[in-house]
């Protein structure tokens, strides 16, 4: 185990090498202060806690941050874990350092959660802090990187949950900030715990073929170096094997084993000028055979995270394809350190136009207005984490959009007024539908009209970006309140009826008051309007207030709740359900054909000798409820509003056939701490597969969270309730 002194020495070495402009005296003072405050604390491995702040400070120095940022890294846990206050830090080390520490302190509470509202609030705090000082998130990423490096000391459950959080939030965030080197390490370390078998398979293969790989890379480097020297181009050539997670993704997307993959190698050529980049590209294409369709020019069209390079894939004489990236030294520093590069080389001096590089943060903050939490989190991942597509206006301006965007997204990316007055679109002079997916290099022209009636509600289902969806909602909110109220009320009342709740109960003042308190709206009309313009779904609203409604509506003992139409004079609370009808004490069983759980709309069937069988109303076997010949055997039932044991249910998951999906589904169920009774999969024709998973849940809300997580997996096309 390394000592505190060794970590201190390592941090100071990193500062001298990567950030020589840092004030060493202030750093030393902050170190001693943090060491004193954390003196009684230990890490999971039993080492002194101060080792963690030292390691985080070393990482911030390696990416070239300034003095205040390194002090913030050393002190980042003081407010959270010790008796230190904001004022204490501000008095000793300055207001800026205190604000950095406070910002990181808030972000330490950002954890992956199955509760979308909580996750939205955590992400909101993150982007608010980023918008004030981007160094907050840079320190937080450094903090996460060190925690990832020491994940072996955590429990298996914590390893999985933290690795999922890293893969879903912090690695994509590092990518969005252009910090590729850190992104790769976060992904590789997370894969080690999320997919241990696949990780080991790849690492074993790379170890076994190390000598062969080194020989191949030396040959390619020598060939390129000789050519560039011969034509007088000064440059450095580096070869590497692609990182583990990148190889894993190729295996998954292509359905191949690692033995079947060829493009495992990448070479980087770094030169002095942009003209040299294009000259090198010509020589590389002369030396090796070009793979058609695999050339990308990110110099003339940089990525939103400021990344610039030429990318081409070629095939050498051995028939092995490999990627070549060509860039200048300035581009290389930006590719390695991303947003942190200007601290490293400009020592924190603001550059003109720099704020435009972070415009995406502002857009993410704007998109949280009037947005349902679940939709916001989903759209956030689309806007921030998805691959981009680059398209052009007729005048040649480049517009970056999430992959899968449509002309609607393009119009609203230009301006709200353009989107609101849009009546059509052309791509390369050809009229296209509104749902046409844009491709890299498309030249898009938006057709507008002064007499346009505004956006259609259907556009909300077509557009891809949260920016467009938010602007469309804003239009409906401003222009169509009365229509929104009518539309929202209809949706809300239909959802109430799905739970056997009579919408007329809202005429009761007490019920209305309870609903407004729970849903956080000033009036019922405001809630209807929000549903109408898409700010929240009717399902979400009813889900929030359903328990409150049932509580208010629950009558005195042995009376039927208002608004719940139970047949018969008596009800019995049996096995978590209230059975209507004067049928005396009876046995209740839950049907295996539809596996109902609390929250489902249910009905009971009186069986011969086996009591009452509970079905979902949409179950195929419940169609007989309308059959006059069986009317005396069907009874109304509702769920009792009591805590009950979990109920078993089954999901059927349709997907494309791919390796790892079975493990992905099992990992989600394990991370949610669900009792799984059965999980199986089988292949179907046309390269499809069907997975069946049976597990216990407490209610439909918990079940929907499971479904939402599974639907987000790559390759999954449908998740539906099944039968056991």
């Amino acid at each position: 185990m390394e000592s505190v002194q060794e970590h201190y020495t390592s941090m100071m070495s990193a500062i001298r090498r990567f950030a020589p402009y840092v004030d060493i005296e202030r750093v030393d003072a902050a170190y001693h202060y943090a060491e004193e405050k954390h003196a009684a604390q230990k890490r999971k491995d039993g080492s002194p806690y101060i080792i963690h702040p030292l390691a985080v400070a070393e990482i911030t120095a390696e990416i070239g941050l300034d003095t205040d940022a390194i002090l913030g890294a050393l002190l980042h846990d003081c407010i959270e874990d010790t008796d230190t206050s904001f004022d204490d830090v501000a008095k000793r080390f300055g207001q800026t350092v205190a604000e950095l520490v406070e910002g990181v302190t808030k972000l330490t509470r950002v954890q992956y959660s199955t509760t979308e509202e909580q996750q939205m609030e955590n992400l909101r705090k993150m982007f608010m802090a980023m918008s004030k000082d981007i160094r907050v998130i840079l320190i937080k990423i450094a903090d996460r990187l060190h925690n990832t490096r020491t994940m072996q000391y955590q429990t298996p459950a914590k390893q999985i949950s933290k690795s999922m959080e890293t893969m879903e939030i912090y690695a994509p965030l590092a990518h969005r900030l252009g910090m590729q080197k850190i992104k790769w390490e976060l992904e590789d370390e997370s894969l080690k715990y999320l997919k241990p078998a696949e990780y080991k398979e790849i690492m074993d293969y790379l170890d076994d073929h190390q000598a062969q790989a080194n020989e191949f890379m030396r040959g390619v480097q020598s060939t390129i170096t000789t050519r560039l020297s011969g034509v007088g181009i000064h440059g450095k050539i580096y070869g590497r094997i692609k990182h583990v997670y990148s190889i894993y993704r190729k295996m998954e997307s292509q359905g191949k084993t690692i033995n079947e993959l060829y493009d495992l190698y990448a070479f980087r050529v770094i030169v002095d000028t942009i003209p040299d980049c294009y000259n090198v590209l010509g020589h590389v294409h002369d030396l090796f055979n070009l793979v058609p369709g695999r050339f990308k020019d990110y110099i003339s069209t940089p990525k939103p995270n400021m990344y610039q390079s030429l990318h081409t894939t070629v095939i050498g004489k051995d028939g092995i394809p490999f990627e070549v990236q060509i860039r200048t030294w300035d581009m290389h520093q930006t590719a390695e350190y991303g947003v942190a590069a200007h601290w490293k080389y400009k020592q924190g001096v603001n550059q003109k136009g720099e704020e435009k590089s972070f415009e995406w943060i502002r857009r993410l903050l704007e998109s949280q207005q009037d947005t349902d939490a679940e939709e916001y989190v989903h759209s956030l991942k689309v806007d921030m984490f998805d691959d981009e597509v680059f398209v052009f206006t007729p005048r040649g301006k480049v517009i970056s959009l999430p992959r899968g965007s449509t002309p609607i997204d393009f119009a609203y990316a230009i301006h709200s007024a353009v989107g609101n007055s849009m009546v059509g679109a052309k791509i390369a002079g050809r009229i296209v539908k509104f749902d046409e997916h844009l491709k890299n290099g498309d030249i898009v022209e938006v057709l507008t009209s002064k007499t346009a009636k505004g956006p259609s509600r259907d556009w909300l289902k077509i557009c891809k970006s949260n920016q467009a969806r938010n602007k469309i909602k804003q239009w409906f909110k401003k222009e169509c309140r009365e229509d929104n109220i009518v539309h929202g009320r209809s949706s809300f009342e239909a959802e109430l009826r799905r739970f056997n709740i009579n919408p007329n109960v809202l005429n009761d003042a007490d019920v209305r008051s309870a609903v407004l308190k729970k849903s956080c709206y000033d009036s019922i009309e405001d809630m209807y309007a929000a549903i109408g313009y898409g700010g929240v779904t009717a399902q979400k609203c009813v889900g929030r207030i359903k328990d409150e409604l049932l509580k208010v509506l629950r009558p005195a003992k042995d009376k039927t709740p208002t608004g719940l139409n139970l047949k018969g004079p008596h009800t019995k609370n049996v096995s978590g359900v209230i059975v209507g009808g004067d049928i005396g004490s009876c046995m209740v069983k839950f049907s295996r054909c539809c596996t109902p759980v609390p929250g489902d709309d249910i009905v009971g069937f009186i069986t011969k000798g086996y009591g009452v069988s509970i079905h979902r109303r949409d179950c195929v076997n419940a169609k007989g409820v309308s059959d006059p010949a069986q009317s005396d055997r069907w009874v109304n039932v509702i769920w009792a509003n009591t805590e009950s044991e979990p109920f078993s249910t089954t999901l059927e998951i349709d997907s494309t056939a791919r390796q790892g999906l079975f493990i992905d589904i099992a990992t989600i169920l394990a991370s949610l701490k669900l009792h799984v009774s059965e999980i199986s999969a089988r292949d179907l024709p046309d390269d499809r597969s069907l997975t069946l998973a049976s597990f216990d849940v407490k209610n439909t809300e918990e079940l929907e969270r499971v479904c939402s997580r599974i639907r987000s997996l790559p390759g999954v096309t449908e998740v539906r309730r099944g039968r056991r």
Side-chain angles (χ1 to χ4, degrees):
M1 185 182 296
E2 293 179 310
S3 67
V4 173
Q5 185 58 43
E6 287 174 315
H7 277 275
Y8 176 81
T9 301
S10 182
M11 177 194 69
M12 286 299 185
S13 296
I15 291 174
R16 285 190 291 271
R17 180 180 176 187
F18 299 104
Y21 41 80
V22 164
D23 186 334
I24 296 296
E25 288 187 8
R26 292 186 68 201
V27 171
D28 203 49
Y31 158 67
H32 288 296
Y33 182 83
E35 183 182 38
E36 177 186 345
K37 290 296 181 180
H38 292 298
Q41 297 173 331
K42 300 287 186 182
R43 295 273 287 167
K44 290 282 187 181
D45 61 355
S47 62
Y49 192 88
I50 188 61
I51 284 178
H52 171 63
L54 282 170
V56 175
E58 181 178 345
I59 295 169
T60 60
E62 288 173 350
I63 62 179
L65 295 188
D66 57 6
T67 302
D68 285 345
I70 293 175
L71 265 61
L74 283 167
L75 303 168
H76 78 272
D77 278 332
C78 284
I79 294 178
E80 176 79 8
D81 296 331
T82 74
D83 60 357
T84 304
S85 68
F86 176 92
D87 291 338
D88 292 336
V89 176
K91 183 177 180 180
R92 288 174 177 266
F93 304 104
Q95 184 77 11
T96 299
V97 174
E99 289 174 352
L100 288 173
V101 174
E102 185 182 52
V104 177
T105 298
K106 291 178 180 178
L107 299 192
T108 59
R109 301 189 182 100
V110 177
Q111 298 180 352
Y112 186 85
S113 171
T114 57
T115 305
E116 296 290 357
E117 286 85 355
Q118 184 61 47
Q119 191 177 20
M120 176 182 174
E121 185 57 33
N122 289 336
L123 292 171
R124 189 201 314 268
K125 289 178 181 176
M126 177 184 292
F127 293 117
M128 285 295 293
M130 287 170 64
S131 68
K132 294 175 182 175
D133 194 329
I134 199 71
R135 289 173 294 181
V136 169
I137 196 60
L138 299 179
I139 297 169
K140 183 57 187 175
I141 288 176
D143 172 52
R144 175 50 58 105
L145 179 59
H146 182 248
N147 284 332
T148 303
R149 289 172 176 173
T150 57
M151 194 66 73
Q152 68 268 29
Y153 301 109
Q154 298 288 351
T155 64
K158 183 74 77 172
Q159 288 171 348
I160 290 176
S161 66
K162 287 293 183 183
S163 296
M164 287 178 66
E165 179 183 73
T166 298
M167 197 71 86
E168 293 195 351
I169 301 296
Y170 289 100
L173 193 52
H175 168 70
R176 196 65 179 82
L177 293 168
M179 306 168 74
Q180 299 305 311
K181 190 175 180 181
I182 288 178
K183 168 187 176 278
W184 292 343
E185 185 174 354
L186 290 173
E187 289 175 337
D188 286 356
E189 289 296 322
S190 299
L191 186 68
K192 184 189 301 183
Y193 299 102
L194 293 176
K195 303 285 183 180
E198 289 86 343
Y199 180 87
K200 185 177 185 303
E201 176 191 357
I202 295 171
M203 289 300 296
D204 289 346
Y205 179 90
L206 296 180
D207 289 341
D208 292 342
H209 294 78
Q210 185 67 52
Q212 178 184 342
N214 288 340
E215 181 180 355
F216 173 78
M217 288 189 290
R218 279 195 298 268
V220 172
Q221 285 177 262
S222 176
T223 300
I224 297 176
T225 300
T226 301
R227 170 61 70 90
L228 297 188
S229 297
V231 297
I233 297 177
H234 174 263
K236 282 280 188 180
I237 296 92
Y238 302 95
R240 63 176 175 85
I241 297 176
K242 293 184 177 180
H243 69 291
V244 179
Y245 181 66
S246 175
I247 295 172
Y248 167 77
R249 286 192 63 181
K250 285 181 178 294
M251 292 168 61
E252 287 293 294
S253 63
Q254 299 176 19
K256 294 180 178 179
T257 66
I258 190 169
N259 293 295
E260 298 172 318
L261 290 181
Y262 288 100
D263 50 342
L264 299 179
Y265 305 97
F267 295 84
R268 188 172 294 146
V269 183
I270 308 176
V271 292
D272 296 329
T273 68
I274 291 178
D276 282 346
C277 291
Y278 290 96
N279 286 336
V280 169
L281 178 68
H283 288 291
V284 169
H285 286 172
D286 184 46
L287 290 169
F288 308 101
N289 294 322
L290 171 68
V291 176
R294 296 294 297 273
F295 168 68
K296 296 178 181 177
D297 185 349
Y298 293 121
I299 292 181
S300 63
T301 308
K303 290 188 176 184
N305 60 11
M306 302 176 291
Y307 178 88
Q308 289 182 285
S309 279
L310 298 176
H311 287 200
T312 187
T313 300
V314 295
I315 300 178
K317 63 180 180 179
D318 299 322
I320 300 175
F322 56 90
E323 184 180 52
V324 180
Q325 301 171 0
I326 308 165
R327 61 180 68 142
T328 66
W329 288 101
D330 284 344
M331 294 174 190
H332 177 62
Q333 301 307 326
T334 300
E336 292 286 297
Y337 300 103
V339 74
H342 78 280
W343 272 283
K344 188 175 180 66
Y345 293 96
K346 306 293 189 297
Q347 298 187 29
V349 177
N350 288 330
Q351 304 173 64
K352 185 178 180 181
E354 176 191 314
E355 65 278 0
K356 190 164 180 62
S357 301
F358 311 131
E359 190 176 323
W360 58 277
I361 301 176
R362 178 185 57 76
R363 290 200 305 267
L364 290 169
L365 288 170
E366 286 178 350
S367 68
Q368 66 186 254
Q369 301 298 322
D370 303 309
T371 302
D372 176 64
E374 184 174 355
E375 181 186 349
Y376 171 74
V377 172
H378 170 74
S379 299
L380 168 74
K381 293 174 181 177
V382 169
D383 280 358
M384 190 174 74
F385 305 152
D386 264 18
D387 291 338
E388 296 90 9
V389 60
F390 299 94
V391 295
F392 297 87
T393 68
R395 295 186 177 182
K397 181 182 178 182
V398 179
I399 302 294
S400 170
L401 295 166
R403 190 170 299 279
S405 289
T406 68
I408 297 173
D409 299 283
F410 178 85
Y412 280 101
I414 300 297
H415 196 277
S416 299
V418 175
N420 293 337
S421 59
M422 179 181 180
V423 293
K426 291 182 179 180
I427 296 179
R430 174 178 58 90
I431 295 288
V432 297
K433 295 180 180 179
F434 283 171
D435 60 357
E436 179 91 2
H437 284 189
L438 303 180
K439 300 185 292 296
N440 277 320
D442 280 346
I443 300 175
V444 186
E445 179 184 356
V446 179
L447 306 177
T448 61
S449 172
K450 294 181 179 180
T451 60
K453 297 180 180 179
S456 163
R457 294 186 189 277
D458 291 337
W459 290 11
L460 291 169
K461 301 174 184 177
I462 297 173
C463 63
K464 176 76 170 179
S465 67
N466 197 42
Q467 181 185 19
R469 190 175 292 110
N470 188 55
K471 289 181 177 180
I472 293 170
K473 290 176 182 177
Q474 290 290 346
W475 186 89
F476 277 108
K477 181 180 180 181
K478 181 180 179 181
E479 303 291 338
C480 306
R481 177 173 171 82
E482 295 304 318
D483 183 52
N484 291 336
I485 291 174
V486 172
H487 182 80
R489 178 171 184 166
S490 175
S491 299
F492 182 78
E493 291 183 350
E495 186 66 14
L496 283 180
R497 291 189 185 96
R498 199 170 70 83
F499 289 98
N500 274 353
I501 299 175
N502 190 330
N504 291 332
V505 300
L506 294 178
N507 295 330
D508 184 284
D510 291 338
V511 174
R512 184 181 289 246
S513 175
V515 166
L516 292 176
K517 181 178 179 181
K518 192 72 174 179
S519 60
C520 302
Y521 287 98
D522 294 332
S523 70
I524 290 293
E525 287 71 24
D526 286 346
M527 183 181 71
Y528 290 156
I531 296 172
Y533 69 75
V536 67
T537 64
Q539 291 83 358
K540 183 68 69 175
C541 274
V542 173
R544 288 173 181 164
I545 66 173
K546 177 166 60 69
D547 291 341
E548 195 70 22
L549 274 178
L550 293 175
K551 187 188 302 182
V552 172
L553 297 173
R554 180 162 290 106
K557 188 176 180 180
D558 293 333
K559 290 186 180 179
T560 303
T562 304
L564 300 175
N565 184 23
L566 288 181
K567 182 176 70 177
H570 301 291
T571 61
K572 311 289 185 201
N573 182 352
V574 183
S575 301
V577 298
I578 300 174
V579 181
D582 189 11
I583 61 175
S585 179
C586 65
M587 181 173 66
V588 168
K589 67 172 184 176
F590 295 92
S591 63
R592 296 169 65 86
C593 56
C594 57
T595 58
V597 298
D600 284 329
D601 191 5
I602 53 176
V603 66
F605 182 73
I606 303 173
T607 64
K608 296 180 180 179
Y610 293 99
V612 176
S613 177
I614 308 298
H615 295 260
R616 300 205 319 260
R617 282 191 183 268
D618 59 0
C619 174
V620 65
N621 292 322
K623 289 183 178 179
V625 71
S626 58
D627 183 359
Q630 293 186 341
S631 61
D632 59 333
R633 299 184 64 181
W634 289 99
V635 292
N636 284 323
V637 294
I638 62 169
W639 296 102
N641 191 30
T642 58
E643 291 294 328
S644 59
E645 293 297 318
F647 289 75
S648 180
T649 192
T650 299
L651 290 181
E652 295 180 355
I653 302 143
D654 282 335
S655 65
T656 54
R658 70 168 176 86
Q659 289 185 331
L661 178 63
F662 186 89
I663 298 299
D664 287 343
I665 295 170
T667 300
I668 286 176
L669 297 176
S671 70
L672 295 175
K673 300 179 180 179
L674 300 175
H675 173 70
V676 180
S677 56
E678 180 182 353
I679 183 168
S680 61
R682 69 174 187 270
D683 290 335
L684 300 174
D686 300 325
D687 199 29
R688 310 292 300 171
S689 69
L690 176 66
T691 304
L692 300 179
S694 297
F695 49 91
D696 294 349
V697 292
K698 293 182 179 179
N699 50 47
T700 52
E701 292 181 4
E702 185 174 33
L703 179 60
E704 182 52 38
R705 289 196 290 268
V706 177
C707 293
S708 178
R709 291 280 297 279
I710 294 176
R711 287 190 191 102
S712 68
L713 292 174
V716 171
T717 56
E718 184 182 3
V719 179
R720 60 180 176 271
R721 300 281 290 275
R723 57 180 297 163
R724 298 187 63 188

